[in-house]
Amino acid sequence: MVFKRLLGKLGVGGPSVDTVLHRELVLPGDTLSGDVLVRGGTMDVEITELTLDLVARVESEAGEEEREGNVRFHRVVVGGGFRLAEAEELSIPFSFPVPWETPITEVFGQPLGFPLGVRTELAVAGAVDQGDLDRLLIRPLPAQEAVLDAFGQLGFGFRSSDLELGHIRDSGQTLPFYQEIELTPGPNHAHAMSEVEVSFLANPTGLTVVLEADRRGGLFGGGGDAVNRFSVAHQDVGQVDFTALVDSWLGQLTAGGHGGFGHGQHGYHGHHGEEHEGHGGGGGLGIGGVVAGVAAGVVGGFVAAEIIDEIGDAFEGDDD
């Protein structure tokens, strides 16, 4: 993957950069590596800093207003403090870990409907310019695949995926946003819920899986949102029947009401009540019927986070 930009703010004849990733597709927690190729322009310049940013498209609504913007969620300094001569070419290698909570962008080749990108920023003697964004593909961890496959085995279907700017309360979340994967219920659960939203918070040892269901009301009430969290370890994959495990989670979710923490507008709307935690293990890695297409639709709230710019045409190849 390559992106190239003549750094316009640095003037005509300024330096240009190409960033080449060794692998375009990585997993959360993986190492992202590549080379930044810097080419000198028509004059010698002092490169004070060269950075790489991981940037996500995040949508939000505050009241009746919906907004979207590019949110920087990880920054790494890969070089700087050197003189770049006229027409000189340098290759600067880089390698850094991708945050564990990085949202997944595709499942078994099926895109989930939002872009994630890498942006290079070059600072020359006080002037700073940003390169164009190019997409970065994030595959799910085996445990994430196993959870989604279990939903597919239970007849759930994919509706949409979005990034919400905000925090899931009391979750230990480190990024300024979280991902929600919205699923339609399978036949054995359609009577109890109209949809379920899945959020993953990964870490080096496993996953916290947050489920939020829109429960259907009965003759005597009982509808409304229900939220629970569950945990699995990476090493559990292949050891436990994930389909049975997720089915038990759904039973707790619809029967037990609100879990110990929750999310909503601005990411801080609380769900109170008994907290349930489940622990489980592996299963098959086929996505089943979960990812059936691409859709969009998001909610959330803009909170304290660095919004780099409005989306516009920031991501290359959006129309491809």
Side-chain angles (χ1 to χ4, degrees):
M1 176 164 49
V2 179
F3 64 81
K4 179 179 180 180
R5 177 165 176 173
L6 183 66
L7 299 181
K9 289 184 180 178
L10 305 182
V12 176
S16 63
V17 297
D18 294 347
T19 296
V20 182
L21 300 180
H22 293 163
R23 288 189 298 152
E24 298 180 5
L25 194 152
V26 296
L27 278 65
D30 260 356
T31 296
L32 183 66
S33 62
D35 299 280
V36 179
L37 309 179
V38 185
R39 296 183 178 89
T42 59
M43 64 191 78
D44 295 357
V45 293
E46 293 291 334
I47 306 297
T48 58
E49 190 172 71
L50 181 63
T51 60
L52 292 177
D53 293 334
L54 298 184
V55 178
R57 174 183 288 179
V58 179
E59 298 188 16
S60 176
E61 65 179 27
E64 298 298 322
E65 181 184 6
E66 291 190 4
R67 298 179 57 195
E68 58 181 15
N70 289 344
V71 175
R72 181 173 64 204
F73 65 95
H74 193 62
R75 164 166 279 204
V76 177
V77 177
V78 297
F82 62 89
R83 186 171 184 82
L84 183 68
E86 177 183 352
E88 182 182 7
E89 296 188 2
L90 294 177
S91 178
I92 301 173
F94 64 86
S95 177
F96 62 89
V98 175
W100 281 96
E101 292 177 17
T102 300
I104 59 178
T105 65
E106 67 169 53
V107 180
F108 293 110
Q110 294 281 351
L112 295 186
F114 64 89
L116 195 82
V118 182
R119 170 177 276 169
T120 302
E121 186 175 280
L122 188 65
V124 178
V128 178
D129 207 352
Q130 296 175 336
D132 292 328
L133 285 167
D134 203 0
R135 294 179 189 271
L136 178 64
L137 303 177
I138 307 294
R139 280 189 55 187
L141 295 160
Q144 293 170 322
E145 286 184 341
V147 170
L148 293 174
D149 179 67
F151 276 105
Q153 296 296 327
L154 293 169
F156 282 68
F158 174 76
R159 176 174 287 168
S160 67
S161 177
D162 60 71
L163 303 183
E164 299 203 18
L165 193 60
H167 287 80
I168 300 174
R169 192 177 61 189
D170 300 329
S171 66
Q173 177 188 337
T174 61
L175 297 189
F177 55 80
Y178 55 93
Q179 182 176 16
E180 284 191 339
I181 301 172
E182 185 177 327
L183 308 176
T184 57
N188 292 334
H189 296 276
H191 68 284
M193 64 183 70
S194 59
E195 66 179 32
V196 64
E197 294 172 338
V198 183
S199 296
F200 295 117
L201 296 175
N203 58 62
T205 60
L207 304 175
T208 294
V209 183
V210 182
L211 301 183
E212 180 173 3
D214 185 0
R215 295 186 300 174
R216 300 186 189 276
L219 181 62
F220 301 102
D225 291 340
V227 180
N228 265 333
R229 63 179 176 183
F230 307 90
S231 64
V232 294
H234 296 306
Q235 65 187 24
D236 289 336
V237 176
Q239 303 300 314
V240 177
D241 182 352
F242 253 88
T243 302
L245 179 67
V246 170
D247 195 37
S248 72
W249 292 353
L250 293 168
Q252 293 181 53
L253 187 66
T254 55
H258 296 310
F261 73 121
H263 46 137
Q265 188 174 15
H266 303 291
Y268 293 99
H269 179 69
H271 297 264
H272 305 283
E274 183 182 0
E275 179 177 317
H276 298 275
E277 290 225 13
H279 183 77
L285 298 183
I287 191 59
V290 174
V291 179
V294 178
V298 288
V299 295
F302 275 100
V303 294
E306 184 164 8
I307 310 299
I308 297 176
D309 49 40
E310 296 300 313
I311 293 298
D313 296 322
F315 280 83
E316 289 186 0
D318 272 2
D319 297 325
D320 293 347

